[in-house]
Amino acid sequence: MARVLSLFRPQPVLALVGGRKTTFCRMSLDSRAREVFAAAVEAVQPDMVVRRSIERKEDSIIIDGHTFMLRQNLHLVGFGKAVLGMAAEAERILGDHLVKGVISVPRGIQETLRQHGKAQMLLKENSRIKVMEGAKHNLPDADAQKAADGIKQLASELTEKDLLLVLISGGGSALLPAPIPPISLQEKQDVTRRLAAAGATIQELNNVRRALSLLKGGGLAHCAHPTQVVALILSDVIGDPLDLIASGPTVWSKVCPEEVWSVLERYKLSTSLPASVKEVLARGSPRWPETKEQSDEAGRVLNVVIGSNSIALKCAGHRARELGFRPVVLSPGVCGDVRAVSRLYSLLARFACSREEPPPELAAEVLKLGPEVGVQSWDLCRAMQVLGEGRAEGWGATCLLAGGEPTVELTGKGRGGRNQELALRVGLELRGMELPPNGPLFLSGGTDGQDGPTEAAGAVTDGGLWEEARAQGLDVDGCLSNNDSFTFFSNLSGGQRLLVPGLTGTNVMDVHMLLIPPIPINRR
């Protein structure tokens, strides 16, 4: 194991985690874990990320190092679950130059934010931005299509003297449906639904969506040409790929009808397509004609990711350091089945908490799990190096941070979500280890504050979970097989282990946290 880790020493470990002396903290591990999670969520609040990304200097703004002049020429459009808060902050900063705007947001979001005391995420009464609600249950509908039409019309009326600010967040694809005529919204949905049911990959689904859409795959930027377009993006996709977030309406992507036909034939759907879809695909030409005047479209579009899981983890690390931990970020891209992910975290906990040199087999199993959970071997080796040296050199408490979006296989009809099920499974995996404050503690939470159809964002767990549940007569295995993790944690010790921050108004996937206390080493 030492030979494996010795290959990954590009800089001193203290440089990776900061040289500041750790501080003593009287808070429990549970309380500190919740504080760190709150810091992660706070860092990606819609108003916070917009404020951080826009620098106002009199009649100009600086975004990502680019300067744009303001001459009563600013227009705003947006679509996504977090866009209302983003738009409210943008108007606070730039309202004196804002001509008008249109945003497409989820059905009921304004009332929900009011009920949760999120007044700062609401537009003022005399706002120049029109709010249109739709996409109930995160599905495209007629109201969302009407909003998309309004956004398309606003963008199409602009000139080279205007500036279009586009706000994008997760859920934006369902809130911007604009099928190419004569395709109806229902026909487009049916095609994509059948493809998904047949096992099509996300890349294949997006290729088909773009081929059938006026606005996805750069279509919105095309409508706005020759206007300068600036898109501020709050990412809810692993790796922050611009073409996948809300299906990339400001990211030009070439659509090849032949490739789309190939996908449809692969899943045996080509012969049962609606006549309207066949008509559009049979045109065999780009969705819009390419001209010399439009060849500079890419240069007239600036796409900037202003909020992401990586940013949330970075700020969580800062808070962890303030609370006396050495922060280590594993990866913002954890994915795969929740059972494999829970196994990974339990192995890392045992590696970090070992009072003697961990057996090589343990590290080998960690590395073997890497591809299954979307974590590179490099990142796993780096994390184990830091955990190992921290244990050997007596650094004190460590906070291992990660993020992403694991998946859960649905086998039952209970209430729960991927974060609560992950926490439950990790707790079972940690069985037999010492309890906090002398043993590890794990937290998993969704940054949107809602894990599945429940009121909780996630849960906190440790090695005492199984004994605690048995003492209270709870059926752990039954809850897992029924995907009933919320009911389990609600009944366990009065719900004390649940993480319930309420609606946050943002979403950059999930935050995972493994807190490792100082471990005394058996020295021979």
Side-chain angles (χ1 to χ4, degrees):
M1 177 61 204
R3 285 200 301 272
V4 173
L5 296 184
S6 68
L7 298 175
F8 302 94
R9 296 177 184 269
Q11 54 181 313
V13 172
L14 286 178
L16 290 172
V17 296
R20 191 170 65 177
K21 188 176 181 180
T22 55
T23 57
F24 179 75
C25 184
R26 294 183 181 276
M27 295 170 63
S28 68
L29 281 185
D30 180 286
S31 297
R32 283 189 277 177
R34 294 171 189 269
E35 284 270 330
V36 174
F37 177 77
V41 173
E42 178 65 24
V44 289
Q45 285 293 295
D47 53 346
M48 176 75 74
V49 295
V50 169
R51 194 181 315 133
R52 223 168 27 219
S53 65
I54 300 177
E55 182 182 354
R56 175 75 186 266
K57 288 192 174 182
E58 298 181 347
D59 290 338
S60 68
I61 54 172
I62 302 174
I63 297 176
D64 196 37
H66 300 262
T67 300
F68 304 98
M69 298 307 298
L70 298 172
R71 302 186 182 91
Q72 309 295 321
N73 61 339
L74 178 66
H75 296 73
L76 183 150
V77 298
F79 32 91
K81 295 179 180 179
V83 155
L84 191 58
M86 296 170 73
E89 185 62 25
E91 188 168 30
R92 278 190 281 270
I93 299 171
L94 308 170
D96 55 327
H97 283 275
L98 179 62
V99 179
K100 65 177 178 178
V102 179
I103 59 174
S104 178
V105 298
R107 169 71 58 197
I109 186 67
Q110 294 178 95
E111 182 58 32
T112 301
L113 289 172
R114 287 191 191 95
Q115 292 174 357
H116 283 78
K118 300 282 186 179
Q120 77 277 11
M121 294 188 187
L122 298 171
L123 297 172
K124 55 188 180 182
E125 287 187 10
N126 60 343
S127 173
R128 293 175 180 170
I129 302 171
K130 181 179 181 180
V131 180
M132 303 182 73
E133 296 188 353
K136 190 175 182 180
H137 304 308
N138 201 33
L139 294 172
D141 58 19
D143 289 330
Q145 186 173 7
K146 186 177 179 181
D149 290 341
I151 289 171
K152 178 178 177 293
Q153 181 178 348
L154 186 153
S156 301
E157 293 172 351
L158 303 181
T159 71
E160 69 275 3
K161 296 180 181 179
D162 293 309
L163 175 63
L164 180 62
L165 185 63
V166 183
L167 306 176
I168 304 173
S169 74
S173 184
L175 287 159
L176 196 72
I180 298 174
I183 302 172
S184 71
L185 179 59
Q186 185 62 50
E187 288 171 333
K188 182 185 173 188
Q189 283 182 266
D190 287 344
V191 170
T192 54
R193 189 181 297 118
R194 290 167 62 196
L195 269 175
T201 66
I202 185 64
Q203 291 82 6
E204 290 170 332
L205 283 167
N206 273 305
N207 280 341
V208 174
R209 285 194 187 108
R210 284 193 288 260
L212 306 181
S213 174
L214 287 169
L215 298 179
K216 292 177 172 60
L220 178 59
H222 170 77
C223 288
H225 187 77
T227 304
Q228 174 65 57
V229 176
V230 179
L232 303 182
I233 303 167
L234 187 58
S235 171
D236 69 335
V237 181
I238 288 176
D240 309 327
L242 295 176
D243 61 326
L244 292 187
I245 303 169
S247 298
T250 56
V251 182
W252 185 88
S253 60
K254 189 173 182 180
V255 174
C256 179
E258 292 79 12
E259 291 182 9
V260 176
W261 277 114
S262 177
V263 170
L264 295 169
E265 289 170 356
R266 186 175 307 132
Y267 295 100
K268 298 179 173 57
L269 297 180
S270 59
T271 59
S272 58
L273 293 172
S276 58
V277 174
K278 291 181 179 179
E279 177 185 334
V280 169
L281 295 179
R283 292 171 187 170
S285 60
R287 289 172 293 169
W288 48 79
E290 296 182 26
T291 66
K292 283 188 176 181
E293 290 74 20
Q294 292 169 341
S295 63
D296 68 334
E297 278 188 28
R300 300 285 292 174
V301 179
L302 175 65
N303 288 295
V304 185
V305 174
I306 62 172
S308 66
N309 193 269
S310 294
I311 292 171
L313 295 182
K314 180 179 179 181
C315 293
H318 292 327
R319 183 63 179 136
R321 184 177 286 112
E322 293 172 353
L323 293 172
F325 295 97
R326 294 281 182 170
V328 182
V329 176
L330 174 63
S331 169
V334 176
C335 58
D337 189 271
V338 69
R339 288 168 291 193
V341 175
S342 65
R343 180 62 178 162
L344 173 71
Y345 288 130
S346 71
L347 290 172
L348 289 171
R350 294 181 186 280
F351 180 91
C353 293
S354 176
R355 293 174 181 266
E356 300 177 350
E357 184 68 22
E361 295 81 11
L362 197 158
E365 188 176 351
V366 168
L367 293 175
K368 185 178 179 181
L369 272 173
E372 196 174 339
V373 298
V375 183
Q376 298 292 324
S377 296
W378 164 269
D379 290 322
L380 290 168
C381 284
R382 175 179 51 80
M384 286 190 286
Q385 175 191 332
V386 176
L387 292 173
E389 293 186 357
R391 182 189 67 252
E393 297 174 17
W395 286 350
T398 301
C399 175
L400 181 74
L401 292 160
E405 201 167 76
T407 55
V408 173
E409 181 184 355
L410 295 178
T411 57
K413 297 182 180 180
R415 292 185 71 199
R418 61 178 178 266
N419 287 284
Q420 292 165 85
E421 182 151 332
L422 176 59
L424 176 50
R425 290 185 180 277
V426 170
L428 296 180
E429 290 272 4
L430 296 179
R431 182 182 174 188
M433 297 190 70
E434 289 193 63
L435 306 185
N438 300 315
L441 178 139
F442 179 79
L443 176 149
S444 183
T447 54
D448 61 355
Q450 185 176 30
D451 186 37
T454 76
E455 296 79 44
V460 182
T461 191
D462 55 51
L465 181 77
W466 189 85
E467 290 290 349
E468 186 178 330
R470 188 183 68 164
Q472 297 176 30
L474 297 180
D475 181 6
V476 179
D477 292 335
C479 286
L480 278 176
S481 62
N482 195 35
N483 300 119
D484 206 16
S485 53
F486 176 72
T487 301
F488 171 83
F489 279 113
S490 296
N491 292 332
L492 182 69
S493 302
Q496 292 181 11
R497 290 179 178 268
L498 283 171
L499 180 65
V500 191
L503 181 73
T504 66
T506 191
N507 183 21
V508 294
M509 299 179 292
D510 305 333
V511 170
H512 305 155
M513 189 186 320
L514 183 62
L515 299 186
I516 308 293
I519 303 298
I521 303 300
N522 295 334
R523 301 188 184 278
R524 296 179 180 178

